[in-house]
Amino acid sequence: MSDAHRMHLKGPWQYRLLDSDSESNVPAVEGRIKMPASWQDCFADYRGGVRYERYFNCPTNLDPHERVYVIFEEIGGDAVVQLNDTQLGTAGGGPAGPFEFEIKSLLQPRNLLTVDVVFQGGNEQPGGLWAPVALEIRGN
């Protein structure tokens, strides 16, 4: 089995509500949140879409044979994942995972990971990016 090195994308992520719901108790339409965090803790009873964004630098000293993945342990809701404005794919549909996308060919010196999540679940179901998100470098 090959060695793998994982870097968690914790810390501040930007968020923006994709549809405004005046009935909800969301503190702000956009802002910063520390991830991972449950939908309920961040957005209370809001149901709809949220765009999560996180910048990260390209991992250094990558060997030609190494591959780089972005990994989502679990996502609550339906998600569309993009890196630097290139769609990587979709994930979710309820709390499910893990999901991973190979990203080495798309990496730039500074990268923007964007995850649009639509969550309609109830309070008993975890929503959003409530589980770790990480970059993983794997050798062959």
Side-chain angles (χ1 to χ4, degrees):
M1 185 167 190
S2 64
D3 290 330
H5 176 70
R6 189 172 277 205
M7 297 166 283
H8 289 277
L9 297 177
K10 296 179 182 178
W13 286 60
Q14 297 291 122
Y15 76 86
R16 182 169 44 95
L17 302 186
L18 297 177
D19 6 87
S20 183
D21 177 358
S22 60
E23 300 292 317
S24 68
N25 295 321
V26 177
V29 173
E30 59 184 53
R32 292 168 54 122
I33 52 177
K34 185 176 179 185
M35 301 303 284
S38 76
W39 188 278
Q40 292 81 351
D41 291 342
C42 298
F43 308 118
D45 58 356
Y46 169 75
R47 298 296 178 260
V50 172
R51 172 166 288 170
Y52 298 91
E53 294 181 324
R54 172 70 153 75
Y55 284 97
F56 65 92
N57 293 326
C58 183
T60 58
N61 301 321
L62 291 173
D63 290 332
H65 69 278
E66 291 179 311
R67 300 173 119 193
V68 181
Y69 296 84
V70 61
I71 298 172
F72 299 86
E73 292 294 328
E74 292 195 58
I75 297 175
D78 294 313
V80 177
V81 181
Q82 295 182 50
L83 180 66
N84 301 325
D85 294 322
T86 298
Q87 185 172 325
L88 300 176
T90 60
F99 303 97
E100 65 180 39
F101 302 98
E102 201 281 321
I103 61 170
K104 185 175 181 180
S105 65
L106 299 173
L107 289 173
Q108 301 172 7
R110 183 164 165 82
N111 300 278
L112 177 60
L113 180 62
T114 304
V115 185
D116 291 342
V117 178
V118 175
F119 181 68
Q120 302 294 339
N123 287 334
E124 71 287 344
Q125 180 182 7
L129 300 181
W130 64 276
V133 178
L135 297 178
E136 188 169 279
I137 301 169
R138 300 178 193 158
N140 284 344

